[in-house]
Amino acid sequence: MSATVHTTIRLTMAQALVRYLSALRTEDGQPLFGGAFAIFGHGNVAGIGEALYQYRETFPTFRAHNEQAMAHAAIAYAKAHMRRRMLAVTSSIGPGATNLLTAAALAHVNRLPVLLLPGDVFVSRAPDPVLQQLEDASDGSVSVNDAFKPLSRYFDRIVYPEQLLTALPRAIAALTDPAACGPVTLSLPQDVQTMAYDYPEEFFAPRTVRFRAVPPVEQELEEAALLLKNATQPLIVAGGGVLYGQAGAALQAFAERHGIPVAETQAGKSSLPWDHPLQLGAIGVTGSPAANALAAEADVVLAVGTRLQDFTTGSHSLFAQAQLLSLNVNNFDALKRRGLGLQADATLGLQGLSRLLGTWNSAGQWLDRAQQAAHAWRASVASITGQREVAGLPYDGEVIGAVQRSSLDSTTRDIVVCAAGTLPAELHKLWRTSTPGGYHMEYGYSCMGYEIAGGLGVKMAKPDSEVIVMVGDGSYLMMNSEIATSVMLDKKLIIVVLDNRGYGCINRLQQACGNASFNNMLPDSAPRIDFALHAQALGALSEHVDNIAELEQAMLRARAAARTYLICIDTDATRTTEEGGCWWEVAVPEVSTQPGVQAARARYDNDRLKQRN
């Protein structure tokens, strides 16, 4: 009997890596990876750079201008695809690699997949120390890439070419795990990238990557159903897991059948259409009065796919009186705050609960009140965003209204992208969308500078949507270089810059904590920055407008434009939407010579009494 012959193909480690990634497919036949962002340097240009060139027809490479920004774009691409597709990111060693660290943390916090491929120093150590190499006299194995270890869901340093046979399947498993999803880092020493090995040809055979839906345990379902049946004032809090689990339809069916109102976290906004009768709107620190009022009186809160961060829970004071039931694919999140955990995929969990609840429905008076509150809040939103004539400078809510009025189908075609500052609060309350993913907010890490890069990633994922980046002047100045990338890649964005001359959000927080305004706002002597002219220099079309009426007209021009279009408008740094919101714990100094700080500390001590232990 003849032995089975396994054919091999001789490839460098870098070539094998790219070839393997390019063969992976989703269940609907699309490539799992949309390609790679790359900024080349001496740690990756000769190895993985050559491999990306060789496979450029099946695995596209996109050039960017900043390593952190290109990783943000890759993360946004995965978020827009509800974690079903993703991008790789490669950098040189040294600063190119460490520029990726902020993005790695962002992806980890938000549970979003991105494959990071930073170059690393020579394994042979023959030329040590190379340019940009960090040296540690006590540990010869250390490189700056070790900093990725706590920021990665899976980390490996590829020191032999054949190591890919084990490392790559593990990397893909981590990237596509519904519970442990997040960034994966494969550290690639530059000499090993170029080493050859006889790889089995079968390793590169096209394969389908399946996304698992974790089923609920029947006993946990029964306990959860019993808790809900005993509730008279239940509330659903919809988190990002609803969107990533593609559970919007299941959520709507569950809420309607059992008469339970729904509030949405920052990550979960767009889970339910904005005008649904049971849609209470945003919850928490940036929440609507409808959602927060009912949360304060709910006896059972069903938290679906949310990690229950402090902005959602009002630092654990908002629904402290309620029994918590957490439906989450991640057991770590399901067991938070000593609630009853139901570990399962959002769709399967909701469907299983509905089966056991049967015809049970929440009390009629509670349901009526919820629908009335939801209707009243929608009317308030229409009033706030409908303001066309404004005395003095407009504020963010009025700008949001003008942006949405500029399109007849904005609730279905537009995707708004934002991340930090005042805008997340205003958009969470006021943005209206009927499309899952129509609200793209990075608020797990709230990373200034994500906005424009994230918008680029969203546009790459959703080319037929109008992607509108709303960003403050502070975030814009931190990171704006991917405007040039959007023009270069022909990925049109509409960028609306709200210029309030500084860090207005933190300035208000600073004063709310009793301190004087300090080191946040630009002084009158500071130069006036011409954001429109700056965007033109990067290749975009642009203009500055003086009021809401001019903004509406500029938005029409921006929508008709063929390339990235930036509009800047001056805004009021002091005004915000007064309706809604709740307490957020920000520690105030216990000892201070300032009377304002002393008063703020007294309020802080009193507010902490409302927290759930």
Side-chain angles (χ1 to χ4, degrees):
M1 189 170 76
S2 61
T4 302
V5 178
H6 296 284
T7 57
T8 61
I9 180 170
R10 191 163 182 81
L11 299 170
T12 68
M13 181 269 273
Q15 292 164 359
L17 188 155
V18 176
R19 181 165 178 165
Y20 179 90
L21 296 180
S22 65
L24 301 174
R25 292 292 181 271
T26 63
E27 291 177 279
D28 58 2
Q30 296 186 83
L32 177 66
F33 282 87
F37 269 108
I39 294 179
F40 293 131
H42 78 85
N44 66 342
V45 66
I48 197 167
E50 187 275 341
L52 288 169
Y53 177 80
Q54 181 175 334
Y55 294 103
R56 64 192 183 280
E57 299 299 328
T58 56
F59 198 83
T61 298
F62 308 105
R63 184 196 178 283
H65 290 86
N66 177 283
E67 288 92 354
Q68 182 185 144
M70 71 181 181
H72 287 335
I75 294 163
Y77 178 91
K79 180 178 173 72
H81 276 299
M82 304 305 177
R83 309 195 302 194
R84 263 53 177 192
R85 298 191 68 201
M86 58 201 70
L87 291 168
V89 175
T90 181
S91 75
S92 65
I93 71 169
T98 53
N99 278 351
L100 298 176
L101 290 172
T102 296
L106 183 148
H108 196 294
V109 168
N110 287 284
R111 279 76 158 165
L112 291 169
V114 61
L115 178 58
L116 304 175
L117 303 171
D120 209 336
V121 297
F122 281 72
V123 165
S124 71
R125 305 185 190 177
D128 283 9
V130 299
L131 179 67
Q132 301 174 328
Q133 179 175 345
L134 178 145
E135 292 183 278
D136 187 327
S138 65
D139 188 343
S141 68
V142 167
S143 85
V144 296
N145 286 3
D146 290 293
F148 286 98
K149 290 180 178 179
L151 303 177
S152 302
R153 293 290 184 175
Y154 177 75
F155 175 94
D156 207 345
R157 179 175 277 111
I158 310 302
V159 296
Y160 292 100
E162 57 265 42
Q163 194 177 332
L164 287 182
L165 297 171
T166 300
L168 280 174
R170 288 177 177 174
I172 300 305
L175 289 165
T176 58
D177 189 297
C181 179
V184 165
T185 302
L186 297 182
S187 183
L188 307 179
Q190 59 175 303
D191 52 345
V192 183
Q193 290 177 41
T194 65
M195 293 178 183
Y197 180 74
D198 294 321
Y199 291 93
E201 275 199 5
E202 63 183 23
F203 185 63
F204 306 105
R207 65 193 67 196
T208 299
V209 175
R210 306 195 185 279
F211 293 86
R212 299 181 301 282
V214 178
V217 175
E218 192 68 18
Q219 184 178 355
E220 290 186 1
L221 274 179
E222 291 171 356
E223 293 173 351
L226 180 61
L227 180 60
L228 278 173
K229 281 183 177 180
N230 290 326
T232 58
Q233 298 183 164
L235 173 70
I236 296 171
V237 175
V242 175
L243 296 171
Y244 301 144
Q246 300 181 335
L251 173 68
Q252 182 170 332
F254 184 89
E256 290 173 350
R257 182 180 184 189
H258 303 294
I260 306 178
V262 177
E264 296 175 326
T265 71
Q266 284 279 12
K269 186 175 171 73
S270 74
S271 295
L272 200 64
W274 72 276
D275 56 353
H276 191 280
L278 293 171
Q279 171 64 275
L280 296 173
I283 192 169
V285 177
T286 57
S288 76
N292 286 354
L294 270 72
E297 297 181 30
D299 55 2
V300 172
V301 169
L302 171 57
V304 185
T306 170
R307 62 192 187 96
L308 296 171
Q309 64 133 305
D310 61 347
F311 258 62
T312 297
T313 67
S315 299
H316 302 297
S317 69
L318 184 56
F319 40 86
Q321 79 296 331
Q323 291 183 279
L324 179 63
L325 168 59
S326 288
L327 166 57
N328 204 296
V329 72
N330 191 324
N331 201 44
F332 178 84
D333 290 321
L335 296 177
K336 282 180 177 175
R337 306 308 299 177
R338 300 187 305 279
L340 179 62
L342 173 57
Q343 186 181 7
D345 168 78
T347 296
L348 297 181
L350 288 170
Q351 290 174 342
L353 271 178
S354 191
R355 170 176 55 83
L356 293 182
L357 290 174
T359 59
W360 175 87
N361 198 283
S362 71
Q365 186 176 6
W366 174 254
L367 182 58
D368 291 343
R369 182 182 165 198
Q371 292 177 325
Q372 291 168 9
H375 178 77
W377 174 238
R378 286 191 292 274
S380 295
V381 171
S383 175
I384 293 167
T385 58
Q387 295 293 328
R388 286 178 164 84
E389 296 183 8
V390 180
L393 291 176
Y395 92 104
D396 301 42
E398 293 151 352
V399 172
I400 291 167
V403 169
Q404 290 220 279
R405 284 195 302 274
S406 67
S407 175
L408 295 176
D409 64 346
S410 63
T411 62
T412 57
R413 183 166 181 262
D414 289 355
I415 301 175
V416 69
V417 180
C418 191
T422 303
L423 277 164
E426 301 298 337
L427 287 164
H428 195 200
K429 292 178 182 178
L430 304 176
W431 187 261
R432 293 171 291 185
T433 184
S434 300
T435 303
Y439 179 82
H440 184 111
M441 181 67 65
E442 190 289 292
Y443 211 60
Y445 210 48
S446 188
C447 184
M448 294 178 71
Y450 173 90
E451 297 90 342
I452 293 171
L456 172 62
V458 173
K459 188 66 176 182
M460 293 171 69
K462 302 292 181 182
D464 295 331
S465 294
E466 195 76 87
V467 177
I468 301 171
V469 176
M470 299 192 71
V471 59
D473 56 304
S475 273
Y476 180 94
L477 288 171
M478 281 197 177
M479 193 173 297
N480 52 60
S481 56
E482 301 326 304
I483 290 176
T485 307
S486 74
V487 175
M488 179 177 66
L489 296 180
D490 194 24
K491 302 299 180 185
K492 176 204 164 185
L493 306 174
I494 296 177
I495 303 169
V496 182
V497 178
L498 289 78
D499 184 3
N500 63 16
R501 297 278 292 166
Y503 303 141
C505 175
I506 293 301
N507 189 60
R508 291 192 305 276
L509 178 61
Q510 185 177 54
Q511 294 176 84
C513 293
N515 208 346
S517 178
F518 174 65
N519 197 46
N520 282 314
M521 304 307 291
L522 296 175
D524 292 338
S525 59
R528 174 67 64 172
I529 297 168
D530 191 332
F531 293 99
L533 188 60
H534 180 265
Q536 287 180 33
L538 294 175
L541 302 171
S542 64
E543 58 181 294
H544 183 280
V545 297
D546 292 324
N547 52 53
I548 292 297
E550 290 183 11
L551 175 59
E552 285 193 62
Q553 294 303 310
M555 280 297 303
L556 296 177
R557 292 187 286 274
R559 290 181 185 275
R563 73 174 189 264
T564 292
Y565 200 112
L566 180 142
I567 306 167
C568 181
I569 184 169
D570 295 338
T571 56
D572 191 329
T574 63
R575 292 174 59 206
T576 60
T577 298
E578 296 179 359
E579 294 86 345
C582 69
W583 179 67
W584 178 41
E585 182 172 10
V586 176
V588 178
E590 190 171 1
V591 176
S592 175
T593 59
Q594 299 185 74
V597 175
Q598 294 168 4
R601 176 68 194 201
R603 293 192 299 272
Y604 171 68
D605 288 336
N606 183 66
D607 287 334
R608 290 181 69 193
L609 299 176
K610 305 170 187 175
Q611 282 181 307
R612 183 176 189 163
N613 294 324

